[in-house]
Amino acid sequence: LLLSWWLFHEFGWGAALGSISCIVLCPWVTKTMANAYWVIWTMLLPMVITAFMGYSINASGKSANKLKWYLILFFGILLRFLCGYEFMSTIMIASEIPIFFYFLKSKHKEERKQWFIVAFVVGCIEIFAFALSLGVTVLQISSLPDTTVMQGIDSILSAIKYRTGAFVEQKDLQQYAQVYVDALEKDGVR
């Protein structure tokens, strides 16, 4: 709803209603796992933060408290990445879209330079939050009894292999075939 509110202020009723319908009525949302709304909420959180950050900077100019917004964004991104690494490049790119919008909306070279700097800082914040969350995850896994840091990293890579099929050949995915079938049947997809 916050994203729709921002879209309403920048583009009008059509954009707001369109975004609400995409989020609420999307078949992926209604037919997938039970926590899909939670997943979407954390996926959109960084974009919502940068949208309001951009709105605030645009409204108040250089007097905007950017540090406050950068900290809010850092904790929003960190929260998302601590919850999982699905679609992380999409999340990182989406959080730059409102900044890019204000960059294009700017008429003066000095304003565009300001938005470019904001976009750069946002990207650095995202990378730092990702690195910190990955470090925390590895430390949590490696703190288990008889587990090393390398085993913690391997555990993360194994999860990536299982969930995405990355780092493996097609023939290696056959071992997960029944898991996929079970997950789809549980969610009511045939």
Side-chain angles (χ1 to χ4, degrees):
L1 291 176
L2 286 173
L3 182 61
S4 297
W5 183 80
W6 177 77
L7 288 168
F8 168 74
H9 280 283
E10 293 297 342
F11 301 102
W13 280 104
L17 293 174
S19 68
I20 289 172
S21 68
C22 286
I23 293 170
V24 176
L25 303 175
C26 176
W28 179 79
V29 172
T30 58
K31 299 221 181 272
T32 187
M33 62 198 128
N35 66 351
Y37 286 104
W38 174 82
V39 170
I40 288 174
W41 177 79
T42 59
M43 286 173 61
L44 291 176
L45 179 63
M47 184 179 185
V48 169
I49 293 169
T50 58
F52 282 93
M53 178 177 71
Y55 186 78
S56 173
I57 292 170
N58 191 50
S60 60
K62 293 187 178 199
S63 64
N65 188 352
K66 292 179 195 165
L67 181 60
K68 171 187 79 170
W69 284 108
Y70 291 149
L71 287 172
I72 292 169
L73 176 63
F74 171 76
F75 287 112
I77 290 275
L78 184 64
L79 171 70
R80 173 62 195 116
F81 288 156
L82 287 173
C83 293
Y85 300 109
E86 299 87 5
F87 307 108
M88 51 184 247
S89 60
T90 304
I91 293 164
M92 294 169 90
I93 291 168
S95 66
E96 295 278 3
I97 290 173
I99 304 303
F100 185 66
F101 165 74
Y102 287 111
F103 173 83
L104 292 176
K105 191 176 175 182
S106 298
K107 293 177 176 58
H108 304 297
K109 185 177 181 180
E110 199 58 38
E111 288 177 351
R112 286 186 173 217
K113 181 179 175 186
Q114 174 192 2
W115 289 113
F116 181 79
I117 292 169
V118 169
F120 178 77
V121 172
V122 166
C124 291
I125 288 169
E126 292 170 333
I127 291 169
F128 181 69
F130 164 72
L132 181 62
S133 69
L134 188 61
V136 167
T137 303
V138 169
L139 286 175
Q140 286 178 327
I141 294 170
S142 63
S143 68
L144 296 170
D146 301 323
T147 307
T148 65
V149 171
M150 290 310 293
Q151 289 172 321
I153 293 170
D154 187 52
S155 175
I156 291 171
L157 291 176
S158 294
I160 293 169
K161 290 176 188 177
Y162 170 74
R163 296 174 85 173
T164 66
F167 307 116
V168 294
E169 294 180 17
Q170 189 67 27
K171 63 182 172 79
D172 296 331
L173 292 176
Q174 294 306 316
Q175 63 183 328
Y176 302 120
Q178 189 58 44
V179 175
Y180 294 141
V181 169
D182 293 344
L184 290 172
E185 286 179 355
K186 180 181 175 187
D187 289 335
V189 179
R190 303 258 186 259

